[in-house]
Amino acid sequence: MADIASTDAPAAALAIGEVDDSTARLHRNLMIGIAIALVIAPFVAYPVFVMKVLCFALFALAFNLLLGYGGLLSFGHAAYFGMASYVSAYTAKHWGLTPELAILAGTGIAALLGLAFGALAIRRQGIYFAMITLALAQMAFFFSLQTPRFTGGEDGIQAVPRGKLLGLFSLADDRALYWLVAAVFMGGLLLIYRVIHSPFGQVCKAIRDNEPRAISLGYRASQYKLAVFVLSAGIAGLAGATKAIVFQLASLTDVHWSMSGEVVLMTLVGGLGTVFGPIVGAIVIVSMQNFLATLGAWVTVVQGVVFVICVLLFREGIVGMIAKWIKKPL
Amino acid sequence: MSEDIILSTSGLTKEFAGFTAVNGVDLKVRRGSIHALIGPNGAGKTTCFNLLTKFLPLTRGQIVYNGRDISREKPAEIARLGLVRSFQISAVFPQLSVKTNVRVALQRKRGDSFDFWRSEKVLSPLDAEALRLVDAVGLSAFADLPAGELSYGRKRALEIATTLALEPEMLLLDEPMAGMGREDIERIEALIRKVSKDRTILMVEHNLSVVASLCDRITVLARGQVLAEGDYAAVSKDPRVIEAYIGSGVGHGH
């Protein structure tokens, strides 16, 4: 028995979501590294670009919380991202809310929407779950298209004021706004990390791995699935609401199904079910869109090729591959 | 002689579209016994089992557990009442470590775990108990291994450890020996005997030699109905039982 145990031992480090002391240390160091990178980034890169990456990274992190740790593939996450972006833009522009309140309003609405949509979707599993989330998100898109008084229709809500944080500090300057966005991102990342490594996260991972078994242990699986759905929708909303303030714009692009597809792509390229993968995925995809923008419509083709290569050659994603290589969960 | 019945059914019936899988089954399981549910293929054993564990809704009839009607309860609720099932295909959480598999069950003692804002360090006090249970089924060497990498027999052992973590009053085992080699069978058999000390066990099992050595009472099902009931000696001599097994062309390990 001992020999079997020792030959199997290295693989043990690969158990997703299992954190021993050395892994916990590695994760803490990575978090510190990310914080430092956030401080340096606006001085070496264009702040608006970095803010865009951060918003999408947070969006992808929220999606990955649901799929990677809850085992639920939502194909309609644009609904939460986009509706939060509308609410944040609308309340900032027409009600004159300060940016932090506008962002909170957007996040809250996204969580509520997640509660309503999630309650319907979790009644089905697998591909049917994905289809229900997609259908509901299409309804959110249709609603946005048909209510120009609220959403501005095809024009979207433009010229959203960045306003003053807490009514005191002007965010008109990109650098000033950047610190808010960096704080929102870091807060979201730490929250998600905590959720994954909480008693709640433990049950979610069990349900992801084997739902009937979790039920037979007395866990009311659907309540856990709904809770993780709402958390994910809320954090996706936080990302969308923040994005509206950054670009001073909320538009149909944010609720469009292709946005739901993009977040799937980011998560898969970065590494599904890894803590840090979605961040890397967002950096890759957003950079591609920015630096290949001259290619026009061909960007989509390049994205498609990247996706195919990713699925064929490294299904664990970039971070997933690194994790396999260093034999530690990331 | 008053019998202490922990689980009983009356008129238990399950109809699928145009087909009655379980037809008016009356079952009484005595507290503290090891009770087997056997029968040829297609007899309705697994359907019956899924009805008892509430994984299938019943068409008609009643299930009473500890004096309480559980006919309409949800599966998670009966687990909370102390009636815990196993699965035919081994049921572990493959990506979680062996220790964590057991700890997830121990975690149930906290009630619901919706506290997503707390660190999982609050679960560390459960580690010692989890390791004790892992050790009790002979898996200490694999405690940190992802459960998905265990051999089939060891997964079954882990499943039993996980189930025991709930301290259930009654265990429902769905073909615990299915697909096992002889060595594994002996180990699991010993394990079941050990855990049956202060519990009631109802099991569906194909392997008749296991049933003969382990079970106090046997109910034979055929075509969704109870054919015979009694101890192994009585049941195995019953001409209707012999007829049912030979008639269906699937003799099992006599």
Side-chain angles (χ1 to χ4, degrees):
Chain A
M1 278 223 192
D3 57 312
I4 299 173
S6 59
T7 48
D8 286 348
L14 277 176
I16 293 180
E18 295 281 311
V19 176
D20 58 17
D21 288 343
S22 75
T23 310
R25 245 191 329 269
L26 174 66
H27 285 180
R28 202 186 51 221
N29 291 340
L30 278 169
M31 290 290 185
I32 294 170
I34 290 171
I36 293 171
L38 284 176
V39 171
I40 299 171
F43 300 102
V44 294
Y46 181 47
V48 174
F49 170 73
V50 183
M51 286 191 277
K52 185 178 180 187
V53 169
L54 292 181
C55 289
F56 279 103
L58 187 57
F59 185 25
L61 282 165
F63 175 80
N64 181 50
L65 171 66
L66 189 62
L67 178 57
Y69 297 93
L72 298 169
L73 170 60
S74 159
F75 209 77
H77 250 44
Y80 318 109
F81 185 80
M83 292 314 282
S85 144
Y86 277 130
V87 169
S88 156
Y90 189 89
T91 54
K93 187 173 180 181
H94 298 290
W95 295 1
L97 288 193
T98 51
E100 75 285 352
L101 288 180
I103 290 173
L104 275 181
T107 308
I109 292 294
L112 282 177
L113 198 63
L115 183 65
F117 285 7
L120 287 169
I122 57 159
R123 290 159 179 270
R124 291 291 174 269
Q125 279 156 357
I127 189 72
Y128 302 102
F129 174 88
M131 278 159 56
I132 293 172
T133 55
L134 173 62
L136 292 170
Q138 286 302 91
M139 281 166 58
F141 178 79
F142 186 73
F143 169 82
S144 309
L145 191 63
Q146 296 298 314
T147 52
R149 197 181 293 179
F150 166 56
T151 63
E154 300 276 1
D155 298 333
I157 305 176
Q158 298 182 7
V160 177
R162 282 183 177 177
K164 290 180 173 171
L165 183 65
L166 304 167
L168 297 172
F169 312 103
S170 169
L171 298 177
D173 180 55
D174 284 345
R175 285 277 169 78
L177 181 63
Y178 174 82
W179 299 118
L180 173 69
V181 176
V184 165
F185 170 79
M186 201 65 208
L189 173 61
L190 290 173
L191 171 67
I192 286 175
Y193 188 81
R194 174 43 67 86
V195 171
I196 292 169
H197 299 98
S198 70
F200 170 75
Q202 200 65 256
V203 177
C204 287
K205 282 179 264 184
I207 293 171
R208 168 199 69 190
D209 273 13
N210 192 336
E211 185 174 344
R213 181 54 172 164
I215 292 173
S216 82
L217 295 181
Y219 288 110
R220 294 164 178 140
S222 49
Q223 293 180 6
Y224 286 87
K225 292 203 286 191
L226 184 56
V228 74
F229 196 97
V230 171
L231 277 170
S232 172
I235 297 168
L238 177 63
T242 309
K243 196 209 140 230
I245 300 291
V246 171
F247 289 97
Q248 305 184 275
L249 171 74
S251 74
L252 285 172
T253 319
D254 301 336
V255 270
H256 195 248
W257 64 265
S258 60
M259 184 63 80
S260 301
E262 222 158 82
V263 76
V264 177
L265 186 64
M266 288 176 193
T267 307
L268 288 182
V269 168
L272 175 66
T274 63
V275 177
F276 302 99
I279 304 172
V280 174
I283 294 173
V284 170
I285 300 295
V286 174
S287 305
M288 248 167 47
Q289 286 169 351
N290 259 49
F291 298 123
L292 302 179
T294 45
L295 295 179
W298 284 91
V299 173
T300 326
V301 177
V302 175
Q303 261 182 23
V305 171
V306 168
F307 184 63
V308 171
I309 292 173
C310 175
V311 171
L312 288 180
L313 295 185
F314 49 105
R315 290 176 62 179
E316 306 92 352
I318 297 168
V319 173
M321 227 168 52
I322 297 172
K324 212 169 164 183
W325 193 38
I326 63 169
K327 300 195 167 73
K328 282 207 189 313
L330 284 174
Chain B
M1 168 186 134
S2 77
E3 282 185 319
D4 186 6
I5 302 297
I6 183 167
L7 180 80
S8 67
T9 70
S10 53
L12 191 64
T13 301
K14 178 66 188 178
E15 288 166 1
F16 295 108
F19 165 67
T20 308
V22 173
N23 190 1
V25 167
D26 297 328
L27 196 66
K28 282 188 170 49
V29 181
R30 250 180 272 161
R31 192 182 301 278
S33 65
I34 304 183
H35 196 125
L37 207 52
I38 65 168
N41 283 338
K45 301 182 296 291
T46 296
T47 307
C48 197
F49 194 83
N50 282 330
L51 292 174
L52 290 174
T53 52
K54 314 309 303 165
F55 275 69
L56 275 177
L58 40 97
T59 312
R60 268 190 305 283
Q62 197 188 29
I63 306 171
V64 176
Y65 171 69
N66 266 338
R68 174 177 173 156
D69 185 349
I70 58 162
S71 315
R72 303 273 171 254
E73 292 286 358
K74 292 209 174 79
E77 306 311 315
I78 67 150
R80 289 168 179 230
L81 293 174
L83 185 65
V84 179
R85 71 167 292 177
S86 74
F87 293 82
Q88 212 172 97
I89 41 163
S90 70
V92 296
F93 305 116
Q95 295 187 44
L96 304 183
S97 74
V98 167
K99 185 186 80 181
T100 311
N101 262 267
V102 177
R103 203 177 66 178
V104 165
L106 289 169
Q107 210 181 317
R108 277 276 303 111
K109 288 180 193 153
R110 311 171 71 230
D112 283 314
S113 286
F114 287 111
D115 40 356
F116 63 80
W117 54 89
R118 239 183 239 138
S119 163
E120 65 186 341
K121 290 209 175 70
V122 301
L123 301 175
S124 331
L126 301 173
D127 283 349
E129 175 69 0
L131 286 173
R132 195 189 62 75
L133 283 159
V134 167
D135 188 44
V137 296
L139 292 176
S140 351
F142 310 98
D144 292 321
L145 202 68
E149 296 185 11
L150 292 178
S151 73
Y152 186 79
R154 293 199 173 105
K155 277 186 189 150
R156 305 300 310 230
L158 172 59
E159 196 189 336
I160 289 175
T162 308
T163 306
L164 290 178
L166 294 176
E167 293 173 18
E169 203 180 348
M170 181 168 182
L171 291 176
L172 296 164
L173 305 178
D174 192 3
E175 298 199 26
M177 311 299 178
M180 276 195 189
R182 184 181 298 160
E183 204 179 309
D184 281 337
I185 288 183
E186 278 165 16
R187 184 163 51 198
I188 300 296
E189 200 179 317
L191 202 55
I192 292 176
R193 205 186 298 277
K194 198 163 110 190
V195 307
S196 71
K197 288 275 188 304
D198 36 13
R199 296 191 170 80
T200 311
I201 294 179
L202 174 67
M203 57 196 265
V204 168
E205 185 50 59
H206 265 304
N207 187 322
L208 290 189
S209 67
V210 169
V211 170
S213 74
L214 209 52
C215 300
D216 314 313
R217 201 165 177 82
I218 295 157
T219 300
V220 186
L221 287 183
R223 293 191 198 87
Q225 288 173 309
V226 176
L227 194 64
E229 196 170 292
D231 59 15
Y232 186 78
V235 163
S236 61
K237 288 198 190 75
D238 192 310
R240 287 169 307 171
V241 174
I242 295 165
E243 156 74 28
Y245 267 88
I246 294 168
S248 72
V250 274
H252 287 274
H254 269 287

